[in-house]
Amino acid sequence: MTKEYGKWPESGWSSETIDWKKAKRVAAGIDIGTTSTQAAILCDGELFSYASVRNGASFKKAAASALSGAMGSTGLSQKDIHASAATGFGRKHAPFAGTLLDEVHCHAKGARFLFGPEVRTVVDMGAQSVKAIRLYDWDRVRDFMMNDKCATGFGRNVEIICDLLDVPITEIGAKSLEVDSEPEPVSTTCFTFALTETLGLFGEPEFRAAPLTLNEVYASYLFSVAWRVLGVVGKLQPLDVGDIKVYKELAFTGGLAKNPGITKRIESELQVTALESKYDPMLAGAIGAAILA
Amino acid sequence: MITAGIDMGLEYVKAVILKDGKVIGRGRGHSGGAARAANAEAAYDGALKSAGIAAGDIQKVVSTGIGKHDVTFAGACRTESVTAVKAARFLCPDATTVVDAGADETLISTIKDDGNPGEVAINQKCAAGIGLFLNYMADRLELSLEEMSAAAPAPAECRVSDGCVPFAELDALSLLNHDAAPAEIAGAVTLSAAARAASTINDITVPNLRSVVLCGGLAKNKAFVKALETLTDIAFHIPEDAEYAGAIGAALIAAS
């Protein structure tokens, strides 16, 4: 491939107002996913710095570079961190982490940090899996659901489509919303089916009145992804049966949370507006791990 | 007579120029989405340039491949099995069967004595995307395509699902998580891809295991070919222009 369209750029940030030297407690959290790794450092419960890196063949390398990315040029070193925890698919590859935590609690904690304490439903949409988490009013997980194995590869396959169709991953979502009417989704069962069907949408309109525009092709694909996410969310225990308001305080985390083509479609199906955060929603797992550390 | 064939695949578009039964120019590029028509033209221009002729000298252009309808300048389009069979006979005159293994599709066709397709089988929908899968696994494992091609068979404890790409990818990620060496995982994913291709090949009865031509992008992957040969007992003939076979077949049809 000549140019890569499907990858989110790596990022890093550190606060200019917080001095870590004055902090009583410095905690680090790292979320080693299947495809990317995020590290976050909290000083007395405030987000001090973070980094997000792409995984290669070695989870260990990704973990180390995410942590050093988060420490960056702040002068902070590993010995200054009082507590640390790791979560995610590759969590055991962070030897510096004091604790290993499960993803569900980390995302729940992280989402409440990023989106506010009113969050009741968290939908984490990562590269491979989707987790829907329902929380009590107080700080406890009530129920959670994960995707079936067959439906794996959520974000990863959006990346593949972006690479194949030469559309930047940062734009596919917005473009897919620029359609007059929502086209029928491609297969909502399996990503291999969806891929073959999407590529088959081009060309001569043998079975439809007019050829699909490119934006409609994106819409058709992203709708199928959103539909699969909805399938996971729908299996959650409702908080108050028979009341649509249950979904209202909803937060999206993970890489696909940055794709409006997915989030807007889920919102309109559930008739809710998701909460917003000033930080990157990919960080929820890492921040949650840092809080729980 | 000078003709051209364009093969618009899932991942790459290939173009060849054929003059009196000889390939005189080749061009290749990424297929893409919005710019497919333009990419086809760019590959075509590349082929014209390498042949050293102008577009005006071409008498007919025929397109094939999954995106054959996107080649706006083609005079006609032909289905993949027909072009694969034509190309196989052209590249290897005594071929009786052709296997085309590409980014998305695996196709097998016997060749009748008159040079037309006999029995044809295409992969089931579940088994699609093996070439693409191997490509992005290479990217993930930080191996070059040459290193993927040189991958040794993986040890018995290092295996991934040969059912479908999503399962295979998850299994590969789990192996990576358990500290398996990237080169061993490369061997495992190659074997799973070959197993899926082999199941398509087994859908038909191959008349002669010694006169089967293998073309398509995966023909360049030595590890894949070796695994496929072990699984099917076939000794493949791999022409030099294996990747351009579809385009050559289209150009041959344009000339006839």
Side-chain angles (χ1 to χ4, degrees), chain A residues 140-154:
Chain A
R140 209 176 139 199
V141 171
R142 172 168 172 155
D143 188 22
F144 76 94
M145 273 293 156
M146 272 190 73
N147 61 283
D148 291 334
K149 192 178 180 186
C150 261
T152 190
F154 288 81

Side-chain angles (χ1 to χ4, degrees), chain B residues 133 137 160 167-177 185 189:
Chain B
F133 170 62
M137 278 318 296
V160 300
F167 280 24
E169 185 181 7
L170 261 195
D171 288 351
L173 289 171
S174 292
L175 286 173
L176 205 56
N177 202 10
I185 301 173
V189 294

Side-chain angles (χ1 to χ4, degrees), chain A residues 189-211:
Chain A
T189 307
C190 158
F191 281 107
T192 301
F193 286 15
L195 179 100
T196 311
E197 289 180 17
T198 305
L199 273 294
L201 291 176
F202 290 99
E204 294 245 305
E206 284 168 33
F207 306 109
R208 55 177 72 83

Side-chain angles (χ1 to χ4, degrees), chain A residues 34 56-57 89 92-93 197 214, chain B residues 30 34 125 136 140 142 166 177:
Chain A
T34 53
F89 180 80
K92 64 172 188 172
H93 295 281
E197 289 180 17
L214 202 58
Chain B
H30 185 49
K125 206 175 179 186
Y136 67 68
R140 178 58 202 265
E142 295 180 53
N177 202 10

Side-chain angles (χ1 to χ4, degrees), chain B residues 1 8 26 40 48-51 55-56 65 74 87 156 165 169 219 221 230:
Chain B
M1 189 173 188
M8 173 69 84
R26 294 170 189 81
L48 287 171
K49 221 168 258 165
S50 79
V165 166
E169 185 181 7
N221 184 327
T230 313

